[in-house]
Amino acid sequence: MRVGEGAIKHITLSNGQVAHLHRLQPGRVIPGQDREDLFPREAPLAPADARDRVYRHFLRLLDLHPRHKEELIRRGLSEGEIKRNGYKSIPEQVNPWIICKKLTRSGLDLAGIPGFYRAESKYGGSYWTFNSSPGYFIPLRDTKGRIQALQRRMDDKRNGKYMLFSGHSDRGGCSCGTPAHVARPGEVKDGRVWITEGQLKADIAAAYLSAVVIGAQGATSWKPVVPEVLELGAREIVIAYDRDQETNKEVARGKRMLAAELKKLGITVREAIWRARSKEEKGIDDALVAGLEIRVVGS
């Protein structure tokens, strides 16, 4: 109930009862009232088709800033691959609520779509919005090519280089979990499925290997990878985790657990190795761009 200031008027109803009439004034809310309506509880995750539809419309409303395009080219992607993968910059000149309004006016429901949440309006009520910290979006796809989530490559890396477009469950948003990303090249020439750490890394590796590459959220987030491997019907897997697995116990442990699970399912597991000349070449993507020899050995 919203109330204003001033005297309370009393009116007599037709049945003889006395009612109290409050004058309304925008922006005033009785404490404890309407909070559930203002910020509904976390919505259940929307189905994959619904997420794909919203994210595709959303990305079409955005552009890719020149500085982000230059960074992607520096990482080793061609302009054609950049366009095909659908990277877009987080808008800096347009308020996020304006973009959300365009989406909802197109008939799209943002409830259950990770990354979108409700903010309180100074005029009362709430509206859809999203975090617009500068960076660019990396679409994360499933085996059918549907965009199931978005990852953000942040310009300001003080709080992390990569962040999922997710959260705000206390404001009507929801989590996307830790989805794996299935990257596909323009043409598949290698029938094996490769697995690496990182979604952008998977896109780059797929372009150079001409193979399907699954990007895990991290070495320890291997469980979401397994359903994607099974959905692809892969019989041979090449694990291409970062070379710091030789000194990083968590990376090494994640690789062992993933390999053990795949072997239990009857899948042949191999490993990609290379000799890094510097710490900048510890990842499969940088090794491929640098032209290093990649050897596949038994796991």
Side-chain angles (χ1 to χ4, degrees), residues 229-263:
V229 171
L230 295 177
E231 184 72 21
L232 288 167
R235 303 312 307 163
E236 183 176 348
I237 291 293
V238 181
I239 299 178
Y241 277 7
D242 289 359
R243 297 315 301 161
D244 63 354
Q245 62 184 278
E246 298 166 358
T247 56
N248 189 318
K249 292 182 179 180
E250 288 300 311
V251 174
R253 181 172 178 270
K255 186 196 75 172
R256 287 196 306 270
M257 295 181 72
L258 172 60
E261 185 65 23
L262 294 174
K263 287 177 181 178

Side-chain angles (χ1 to χ4, degrees), residues 73-296:
I73 290 174
R74 180 185 59 78
R75 291 290 303 269
L77 291 170
S78 68
E79 291 193 21
E81 289 159 347
I82 291 170
K83 183 177 181 180
R84 188 172 61 81
N85 287 324
Y87 311 110
K88 293 294 182 71
S89 298
I90 300 170
E92 298 176 10
Q93 305 300 324
V94 181
N95 288 327
W97 67 267
I98 293 177
I99 294 175
C100 290
K101 182 175 286 187
K102 289 181 179 180
L103 293 173
T104 56
R105 284 181 174 175
S106 297
L108 298 170
D109 185 1
L110 302 186
I113 308 297
F116 298 99
Y117 65 95
R118 300 192 72 82
E120 185 174 0
S121 170
K122 63 181 179 180
Y123 302 110
S126 63
Y127 57 91
W128 285 108
T129 188
F130 58 89
N131 185 302
S132 58
S133 299
Y136 61 88
F137 288 116
I138 303 167
L140 310 185
R141 292 180 166 83
D142 62 11
T143 58
K144 298 179 180 178
R146 297 175 298 188
I147 302 175
Q148 56 181 325
L150 297 175
Q151 188 180 58
R152 296 174 293 160
R153 173 63 160 80
M154 311 306 297
D155 287 354
D156 185 345
K157 305 171 184 63
R158 286 177 293 181
N159 294 320
K161 185 184 297 185
Y162 293 95
M163 300 182 69
L164 287 167
F165 190 54
S166 182
H168 299 286
S169 59
D170 60 329
R171 291 176 173 249
C174 69
S175 171
C176 66
T178 55
H181 166 51
V182 180
R184 291 181 179 275
E187 180 182 2
V188 176
K189 297 179 181 179
D190 184 346
R192 300 170 296 187
V193 172
W194 293 58
I195 301 172
T196 190
E197 308 168 59
Q199 285 81 350
L200 178 57
K201 189 176 296 183
D203 282 343
I204 297 169
Y208 281 78
L209 294 168
S210 295
V212 174
V213 181
I214 301 176
Q217 189 64 33
T220 59
S221 300
W222 57 268
K223 289 185 178 180
V225 170
V226 177
E228 305 295 346
V229 171
L230 295 177
E231 184 72 21
L232 288 167
R235 303 312 307 163
E236 183 176 348
I237 291 293
V238 181
I239 299 178
Y241 277 7
D242 289 359
R243 297 315 301 161
D244 63 354
Q245 62 184 278
E246 298 166 358
T247 56
N248 189 318
K249 292 182 179 180
E250 288 300 311
V251 174
R253 181 172 178 270
K255 186 196 75 172
R256 287 196 306 270
M257 295 181 72
L258 172 60
E261 185 65 23
L262 294 174
K263 287 177 181 178
K264 283 196 301 184
L265 296 169
I267 298 172
T268 300
V269 178
R270 306 195 186 282
E271 181 181 3
I273 61 173
W274 59 93
R275 185 181 297 276
R277 296 173 300 197
S278 68
K279 64 180 181 180
E280 282 74 28
E281 296 165 349
K282 71 174 184 177
I284 183 69
D285 57 331
D286 292 321
L288 289 165
V289 173
L292 300 186
E293 180 186 3
I294 309 296
R295 293 193 297 121
V296 176

